Amino acid sequence: MKISFAWSFLSFVGLFGLPPASGQAILSVPFICEWANTAGGCPSGNWAHSANCGPTSVLMVADAYNNSLPIAQQVNLADDWLYANYGTTYGNPLANNYLGYGTNTTELAALADGEFSLSNVVAFSGWTVSQLQQELANGYPVVVYVYARMEIASHDAHYMVLLGMDSENVYVDDPGLQFGGQRSATDTTPGRAYPINQFSAAWAAHGNSGVSIHPNQAGGFVTVSAALDGGAWPSSGISPVSYSITGPTGPVAGAGLVPVETVANLPPGTYTLTFTSGGPTNSALSDILPCATPLINASCTATLTAGQNLLFTLQFAGNLPTAGFTMSGLSPPPVTVTKNNGSTLTVYTSPGGTASVTFDGSTRSTATSGASITGWQWMVNGSAVATVPTFTQSLSASASTGQSITYQIILVVTDSNGAQSQPAQGTVVVSNCIFVCEIQ
Amino acid sequence: MIAVNTPTPVTLAVQIAGSSLIPNGVNLLRLGAVGTQPTIIGQPQGNGSTTYTIQTTFNETSTGQIQLQVSAAFQGQLRRITSPITGVIVGSALNSTSSKFTVIYPPTLYLMGTPAPGVFFLDSSPGGVVIGGGAPPLGSSEATSGFAVTISAAPYSVSGSFDINQYLSTNYPDSAADAGAITSISIGGQPGYEYEFQNEEGGGKPIAVVYYDGYVYELDYASTNNIPGFSDQEGLSAFNTVLQNFTFNQ
């Protein structure tokens, strides 16, 4: 119950991601404009004189972590806290109607800790874009020190909340704009986009600095993403993929959206993602990272460490080879019976004897155009038995009359491009009945 | 305004009425510090009317203001009559060969360098001014109160004539809708525009734009007007001075 509550609530105000055009996630934080605490509030208050972008950015991140909506009074409280703790450099808020005096990153980091009790915070400088991307991938929005309108020429030192990033744009929520991350009250765009080069220049002019704030939680994040042939999928928009996740306290989430969906505030422990359906057309689920391949049962179990992000990646492969085979063995009077994969072949022998069954993958396995099948991996009841297209296996019968033994056969083929097929499965039943035998 | 360390010819004209004015009795004086004697620069010459002119070349070694006064001798008066004091501001020149412009900025501004290619900060404090929601780190020489004029030049392609509305919607899609009235002005002899963005941090301050020879030039004013007691009067004067002394390199 606790987990499902967190899930539904986060979809309301928290770190529920939506993908931009390139398929990366955009986090979200609850918005409040930095002059909300002035007469008129948002959006028509004293925008022309407010310098509260720093404390308001911290407030937005803090309230995202605290699952609450920011209110104007919190901006005042942040200003009061700054004055109480940095009185020599931060002016008296009462003296200028709580318009703020400007803040540096050290003050903002202290504010996050002292006012909002978020102790896992650091004022940074000299960071790289990769470090920002890692923060975002872990589900942490970042307070970045840039310029108003993301333009150095504004000469207006400014803080925004970085929500997402792809190869073309960054996506921010901006307390210095009347609608923050959107362009109007009805705009549902997830984050205001600026070209990444423009952001990089504005960020670099302030020493690539900002404030990294992580939530106070013993648990961590579980993130699900998807990829097709090694690239992010989908390339645009969002696509539903059905899967389930179970953790130490039970089910976490049902059907989800990919490429990225983040579930926060989860306790550490073992989590299992099981894929159900969906994915790119003309493809198959090949792996679920971080688990090893080959994928057999469409699930992956991994451990979430406290405060970390456990990333499951549904790896889909297109242009796959197809595995298939035939199974041939003797049945009375005797006659040779052949069955295809996906069905059951029943063969007969005396109690305690062995039945010879020939498996042939050469006629039913296919490579895609321009490729050929180069690898054969046969397994019987989970044990590798052969790496050739065709082979004959002796399968034992039970020594007890009337009892049958069932064998599960799996073939996975690999093509000359290195692509691996989905497993083809078949069943062989070795019967030892003497008097009456049903030929299937 | 003239530029420091640059020999600059200046023509001064003065209107002097009165038939008792003694010919060759008009002097142009340069005033010095309080208590010091003024220096006679030269004698403005009349042209038959009441206008007396003189051209002189200043080559100042420091920024500031040259204070000038005209004195005239009249028949029947023992003491020379002096005009009101007028000043010639000595500013600094910023000549960007790459961005193809020159501007003379007043002594109330200091060139901070280029935070990005084609962007020039002119701040009211020699250590720079932090404006907006940021604040300098402890120990920084940057001021927390003041103003700045930023000049930026960026390549810009136009088909036909420059369209300010198109420029705004292309470059500031989020702010363009909030731009206030756009005023036509002249910048460097070219048609330019002045406007203010609204409803955003940094808004409410003038921005001037002019297109010339494949570049768009922006001149942005910014100030710490969130600080109680701060007045924009001096800063806006500096901004307008920069606008008036902005020229394009040929």
Side-chain angles (χ1 to χ4, degrees):
Chain A
M1 288 300 294
K2 184 178 181 181
I3 297 304
S4 60
F5 170 80
W7 171 257
S8 59
F9 194 72
L10 282 166
S11 67
F12 170 44
V13 296
L15 303 168
F16 185 81
L18 287 173
S22 70
Q24 299 298 313
I26 297 178
L27 305 173
S28 69
V29 294
F31 171 71
I32 187 170
C33 77
E34 64 179 87
W35 57 85
N37 57 334
T38 67
C42 295
S44 56
N46 194 349
W47 50 267
H49 295 89
S50 178
N52 271 322
C53 54
T56 306
S57 293
V58 172
L59 167 63
M60 289 160 61
V61 175
D63 277 355
Y65 290 152
N66 295 330
N67 295 331
S68 59
L69 293 172
I71 58 175
Q73 180 63 21
Q74 288 180 292
V75 182
N76 284 356
L77 293 174
D79 282 342
D80 284 336
W81 190 95
L82 288 164
Y83 178 59
N85 291 274
Y86 295 94
T88 58
T89 56
Y90 195 83
N92 185 347
L94 282 172
N96 73 337
N97 196 26
Y98 286 95
L99 289 167
Y101 284 86
T103 44
N104 61 40
T105 56
T106 301
E107 293 167 343
L108 292 178
L111 174 71
D113 188 4
E115 174 66 13
F116 299 104
S117 301
L118 292 166
S119 58
N120 196 2
V121 59
V122 62
F124 64 81
S125 63
W127 272 26
T128 63
V129 167
S130 295
Q131 286 174 287
L132 293 179
Q133 289 172 326
Q134 186 60 57
E135 289 285 294
L136 297 170
N138 288 336
Y140 307 137
V142 186
V143 178
V144 288
Y145 190 22
V146 288
Y147 281 91
R149 302 193 299 274
M150 205 66 85
E151 185 189 48
I152 297 173
S154 72
H155 205 313
D156 191 291
H158 191 49
Y159 292 97
M160 303 181 190
V161 181
L162 180 67
L163 304 175
M165 184 183 299
D166 57 29
S167 60
E168 296 178 355
N169 296 312
V170 298
Y171 302 86
V172 300
D173 210 344
D174 184 353
L177 298 174
Q178 57 180 338
F179 298 113
Q182 284 71 47
R183 293 181 177 174
S184 69
T186 57
D187 183 12
T188 58
T189 304
R192 188 171 293 240
Y194 289 100
I196 195 164
N197 290 341
Q198 187 178 345
F199 162 76
S200 295
W203 190 45
H206 279 143
N208 290 16
S209 62
V211 184
S212 164
I213 308 171
H214 293 186
N216 290 333
Q217 57 185 10
F221 298 86
V222 171
T223 301
V224 180
S225 67
L228 173 62
D229 293 332
W233 178 86
S235 58
S236 63
I238 55 176
S239 292
V241 172
S242 294
Y243 57 85
S244 63
I245 301 175
T246 56
T249 59
V252 173
L257 304 173
V258 292
V260 174
E261 186 158 340
T262 300
V263 186
N265 266 333
L266 294 174
T270 299
Y271 287 80
T272 298
L273 182 146
T274 301
F275 171 75
T276 306
S277 63
T281 56
N282 299 321
S283 71
L285 184 70
S286 58
D287 308 309
I288 302 177
L289 298 179
C291 292
T293 58
L295 181 71
I296 300 300
N297 57 3
S299 69
C300 175
T301 299
T303 300
L304 172 64
T305 305
Q308 299 300 307
N309 179 43
L310 171 57
L311 172 63
F312 287 110
T313 302
L314 299 164
Q315 301 257 49
F316 293 97
N319 210 26
L320 295 177
T322 302
F325 58 89
T326 59
M327 306 173 286
S328 301
L330 285 177
S331 292
V335 62
T336 297
V337 176
T338 299
K339 292 291 185 71
N340 294 332
N341 60 287
S343 61
T344 299
L345 169 69
T346 301
V347 293
Y348 298 85
T349 186
S350 58
T354 59
S356 292
V357 180
T358 298
F359 300 97
D360 183 0
S362 62
T363 57
R364 290 181 52 81
S365 298
T366 57
T368 54
S369 177
S372 60
I373 295 177
T374 56
W376 307 81
Q377 184 177 356
W378 295 90
M379 288 182 286
V380 175
N381 287 351
S383 299
V385 295
T387 57
V388 293
T390 301
F391 71 103
T392 299
Q393 182 77 9
S394 294
L395 300 176
S396 298
S398 172
S400 299
T401 301
Q403 290 190 350
S404 299
I405 296 179
T406 300
Y407 296 88
Q408 294 293 336
I409 316 301
I410 292 175
L411 171 63
V412 175
V413 297
T414 304
D415 70 13
S416 52
N417 294 326
Q420 200 169 60
S421 73
Q422 291 294 291
Q425 299 190 39
T427 303
V428 176
V429 175
V430 179
S431 172
N432 61 6
C433 68
I434 298 174
F435 300 107
V436 178
C437 298
E438 293 182 1
I439 301 174
Q440 299 184 18
Chain B
M1 187 164 64
I2 63 174
V4 69
N5 294 320
T6 306
T8 308
V10 174
T11 299
L12 184 139
V14 59
Q15 299 279 340
I16 305 175
S19 58
S20 59
L21 178 65
I22 300 173
N24 299 324
V26 181
N27 290 336
L28 174 64
L29 309 176
R30 175 170 182 165
L31 307 184
V34 175
T36 62
Q37 287 294 319
T39 304
I40 298 175
I41 294 177
Q43 292 187 320
Q45 299 298 310
N47 59 357
S49 67
T50 58
T51 300
Y52 290 76
T53 60
I54 183 173
Q55 186 178 72
T56 184
T57 297
F58 292 107
N59 187 9
E60 300 300 299
T61 57
S62 62
T63 59
Q65 188 177 47
I66 303 169
Q67 291 191 309
L68 301 174
Q69 193 173 44
V70 173
S71 71
F74 290 85
Q75 291 175 354
Q77 293 198 36
L78 290 176
R79 301 191 62 176
R80 299 173 70 85
I81 304 300
T82 56
S83 71
I85 298 171
T86 188
V88 175
I89 296 174
V90 182
S92 301
L94 164 60
N95 181 359
S96 171
T97 54
S98 58
S99 296
K100 300 187 291 186
F101 75 90
T102 299
V103 67
I104 303 173
Y105 54 93
T108 51
L109 292 172
Y110 300 86
L111 177 62
M112 293 294 105
T114 57
V119 181
F120 304 86
F121 278 174
L122 299 171
D123 289 13
S124 64
S125 173
V129 183
V130 177
I131 297 169
L138 286 177
S140 169
S141 61
E142 294 173 286
T144 56
S145 180
F147 54 86
V149 178
T150 302
I151 302 172
S152 60
Y156 188 77
S157 298
V158 298
S159 56
S161 58
F162 177 72
D163 184 335
I164 182 62
N165 291 305
Q166 181 179 351
Y167 170 76
L168 290 176
S169 61
T170 301
N171 288 270
Y172 304 103
D174 300 327
S175 299
D178 290 333
I182 300 173
T183 304
S184 294
I185 61 174
S186 176
I187 304 173
Q190 300 296 319
Y193 308 90
E194 187 172 318
Y195 55 88
E196 297 176 357
F197 288 132
Q198 312 287 319
N199 301 314
E200 61 183 50
E201 180 175 322
K205 301 182 179 68
I207 302 172
V209 168
V210 60
Y211 171 82
Y212 181 72
D213 195 20
Y215 282 79
V216 163
Y217 299 82
E218 268 196 27
L219 295 91
D220 291 55
Y221 175 70
S223 72
T224 59
N225 62 359
N226 59 304
I227 304 296
F230 178 84
S231 170
D232 267 323
Q233 185 175 358
E234 185 181 28
L236 290 173
S237 173
F239 175 70
N240 289 322
T241 300
V242 169
L243 277 183
Q244 293 160 9
N245 290 276
F246 185 94
T247 57
F248 298 104
N249 297 348
Q250 298 302 313

